[in-house]
Amino acid sequence: MKKTLIMTMMASLSLFAVSCQEQNWGDNANPEVFIPRHGITNATVWDVTSGTFDTYLGVYCGGVRPENQQNTIDVTYAVDNSIVDVYNADITQQYSGSVVVLPADCYTLSSSTVTIPAGSVDTQIPIKFNVAAVKAALEANPGKKVVIPIKLTGTSLYNISADKAYAECMMDINVSEPNFYFFCNNYGIITQAAKLIYGSKDNNYKFDVMANGVPDGNYTINFKIDQDALDAFYPGNEIIPADAVVLNPQSTYKDKVNHAMLEFQLIPEKLEFFKTYYLPVTMTCSEYAGEETVGNFFMTVEMKNEFEKSYSSNLSVYSEATDRTRAYSAKKNAVTYASDIFEINIATNNTIAGAKATSLTATTYNNRYIRIKVIPTADKNHYDIEYVPVTDKSNKKQNTMDFFEAVPDAENYYDWNLEKFVLNYRWKHIEKKDTSWVVVNEVLQAN
């Protein structure tokens, strides 16, 4: 019985697999032709130097797959001002303002018919605009939508959409200046950030330059470091030193595929630690301008050393006052102080390393800091280190503890290959004249 059931299930699965492979989804019984961007749709006329601008309105045949569409389909269309009259008479639309028809001398329709070729399901209605005439029409109708009302009137195959709304479109026309912009600013200025490792050589950067409304062709884009742009957008900040950046002053824009590129190299040795610089770059082009805001590029530049990383800390903490040892783990972030020195916190909350000798719940020694200097040796597995007490914190309670020192006869070193610090340090409690030691063995492993 069990064997029969298994065989039956296997046969059913085989039939299911075959039927899935052979199934051929059919087209709709009644395909329809419609305008995908129906209703009111925005259309930008770019004020190009030629004085005319070409754009298109798409037409689509839905309900049939391209490979099954074996005939050409002629679709007729017309400008129909009654569409605007109906819209303006509809009280539900009046909150958005009245609509006016764009004068016929502002544009040209090459014909009244477009063709969907065999093997395809879409085509486009070409429209050529006279930019000067369009600008005059917009100036004559301030605050109003100025539109071209177009509707589909017939088709040689299938049907126009039964839903009238899908067969009509009002192209809301506006005029804009063609421009170039930094792609990283696509949705508004975004300040880039770079932290340079002292001594590193691979500090080359590239950022795309894109265009809105610029006709395809060869355009020379010029770049310059611009103090005025920095003062306008980020006043009071320091510009990067001139000898700390090598900027490629030009790039060529051809089209959206072969676009221009901002390229530069940063030189870390020319910068100071603990300072933030700004690199402001603006672009210009003889034919079309950089967009007023997103045509500006900004980057913050800071120095760091190779030890500025996030570390996993494992600590063994011994309190001489209580003769207790505890183990802890924590996440610690190192901050560059010089080319070979970084700063990191020593004790952390909720450890006996952060408590007074007389009260393990107090936080006298929480979040204290030490600076660690790394001294390279011939053995990369065992670089020497030196503890540098912190005495200049504005919050004095974060300075290094008094009587801080390396544990005598214990190892303190950096393993360059493993990016790991082995630390053995101690300090004395001095609260209430207590001179007992807190002794810490810590391993910092870079994440």
Side-chain angles (χ1 to χ4, degrees):
M1 177 67 180
K2 184 176 180 180
K3 183 176 180 181
T4 302
L5 178 60
I6 292 173
M7 294 297 292
T8 302
M9 290 176 64
M10 291 178 64
S12 298
L13 289 171
S14 298
L15 287 172
F16 177 75
V18 170
S19 64
C20 285
Q21 292 174 355
E22 294 179 351
Q23 187 168 9
N24 186 8
W25 298 104
D27 298 318
N28 290 348
N30 297 298
E32 292 186 335
V33 178
F34 64 96
I35 300 174
R37 293 172 61 192
H38 55 275
I40 293 184
T41 182
N42 294 324
T44 298
V45 173
W46 296 100
D47 191 4
V48 293
T49 53
S50 65
T52 61
F53 178 76
D54 296 332
T55 192
Y56 304 89
L57 178 64
V59 175
Y60 189 83
C61 180
V64 61
R65 290 176 297 167
E67 59 268 27
N68 291 346
Q69 208 294 99
Q70 299 299 317
N71 302 291
T72 59
I73 306 172
D74 294 327
V75 182
T76 57
Y77 62 91
V79 174
D80 187 346
N81 294 344
S82 68
I83 298 173
V84 171
D85 296 334
V86 172
Y87 180 89
N88 287 333
D90 186 349
I91 192 171
T92 65
Q93 305 289 359
Q94 291 182 2
Y95 71 93
S96 60
S98 61
V99 172
V100 297
V101 175
L102 183 71
D105 62 354
C106 294
Y107 62 94
T108 301
L109 298 173
S110 57
S111 71
S112 60
T113 303
V114 289
T115 299
I116 299 176
S120 180
V121 292
D122 60 81
T123 188
Q124 293 179 321
I125 298 172
I127 307 172
K128 181 182 288 291
F129 288 95
N130 179 322
V131 179
V134 172
K135 291 169 71 174
L138 296 181
E139 291 172 1
N141 295 279
K144 296 181 179 179
K145 288 184 172 65
V146 181
V147 305
I148 304 176
I150 295 177
K151 74 174 183 181
L152 304 182
T153 57
T155 176
S156 63
L157 184 66
Y158 308 131
N159 298 309
I160 300 296
S161 174
D163 187 338
K164 179 181 177 182
Y166 284 82
E168 298 178 349
C169 170
M170 289 191 291
M171 298 182 68
D172 180 12
I173 309 301
N174 62 83
V175 176
S176 293
E177 296 288 334
N179 59 76
F180 295 99
Y181 66 96
F182 291 105
F183 182 71
C184 58
N185 291 339
N186 197 23
Y187 299 105
I189 290 179
I190 298 177
T191 301
Q192 306 301 305
K195 273 201 169 186
L196 309 182
I197 299 176
Y198 185 84
S200 64
K201 302 302 179 185
D202 185 18
N203 298 303
N204 298 304
Y205 297 85
K206 293 182 178 181
F207 292 89
D208 295 305
V209 173
M210 308 300 287
N212 285 317
V214 174
D216 291 348
N218 292 329
Y219 302 94
T220 299
I221 310 298
N222 302 297
F223 304 105
K224 72 171 184 176
I225 299 174
D226 192 341
Q227 177 73 58
D228 291 339
L230 179 61
D231 293 340
F233 286 89
Y234 298 102
N237 287 284
E238 185 171 352
I239 197 167
I240 192 169
D243 59 354
V245 56
V246 178
L247 177 71
N248 186 348
Q250 289 185 340
S251 183
T252 300
Y253 179 94
K254 295 181 179 180
D255 51 47
K256 290 183 178 180
V257 175
N258 301 291
H259 45 74
M261 193 79 69
L262 167 65
E263 300 179 79
F264 57 88
Q265 179 186 21
L266 299 176
I267 304 173
E269 290 79 8
K270 302 297 183 178
L271 306 176
E272 296 180 29
F273 287 100
F274 273 16
K275 292 185 72 172
T276 299
Y277 303 91
Y278 274 75
L279 171 61
V281 178
T282 57
M283 71 171 84
T284 57
C285 177
S286 59
E287 291 87 350
Y288 301 106
E291 204 279 339
E292 186 175 358
T293 54
V294 296
N296 292 278
F297 172 88
F298 298 96
M299 173 180 276
T300 59
V301 182
E302 298 175 83
M303 281 284 292
K304 70 174 184 176
N305 58 36
E306 62 176 307
F307 313 110
E308 183 175 310
K309 297 181 175 76
S310 173
Y311 293 89
S312 295
S313 168
N314 291 302
L315 306 95
S316 173
V317 183
Y318 167 69
S319 175
E320 192 175 69
T322 59
D323 195 28
R324 299 177 67 182
T325 300
R326 296 260 184 99
Y328 305 94
S329 62
K331 296 291 185 182
K332 294 186 176 183
N333 295 311
V335 177
T336 295
Y337 189 75
S339 62
D340 55 354
I341 299 175
F342 68 91
E343 183 177 276
I344 200 163
N345 65 311
I346 304 169
T348 56
N349 293 337
N350 303 317
T351 72
I352 61 174
K356 297 180 183 179
T358 55
S359 173
L360 296 183
T361 59
T363 56
T364 302
Y365 293 103
N366 269 341
N367 301 318
R368 297 290 185 124
Y369 286 83
I370 190 71
R371 291 174 188 144
I372 298 175
K373 181 175 182 178
V374 181
I375 305 168
T377 66
D379 182 2
K380 285 193 171 184
N381 293 320
H382 207 288
Y383 281 5
D384 293 336
I385 67 168
E386 177 185 321
Y387 294 109
V388 181
V390 177
T391 60
D392 54 2
K393 291 285 187 185
S394 58
N395 182 353
K396 301 301 181 184
K397 292 183 178 181
Q398 293 184 339
N399 286 329
T400 306
M401 304 79 158
D402 295 327
F403 307 109
F404 181 98
E405 65 181 26
V407 174
D409 301 323
E411 285 195 306
N412 289 271
Y413 66 92
Y414 175 61
D415 188 325
W416 188 88
N417 290 315
L418 296 180
E419 297 183 297
K420 180 179 73 174
F421 285 90
V422 175
L423 309 176
N424 287 281
Y425 52 86
R426 67 182 186 177
W427 72 88
K428 284 185 179 181
H429 279 303
I430 58 171
E431 293 292 318
K432 298 183 179 180
K433 299 182 180 179
D434 179 11
T435 58
S436 59
W437 291 100
V438 172
V439 182
V440 179
N441 168 256
E442 180 172 16
V443 176
L444 293 172
Q445 178 64 62
N447 294 322

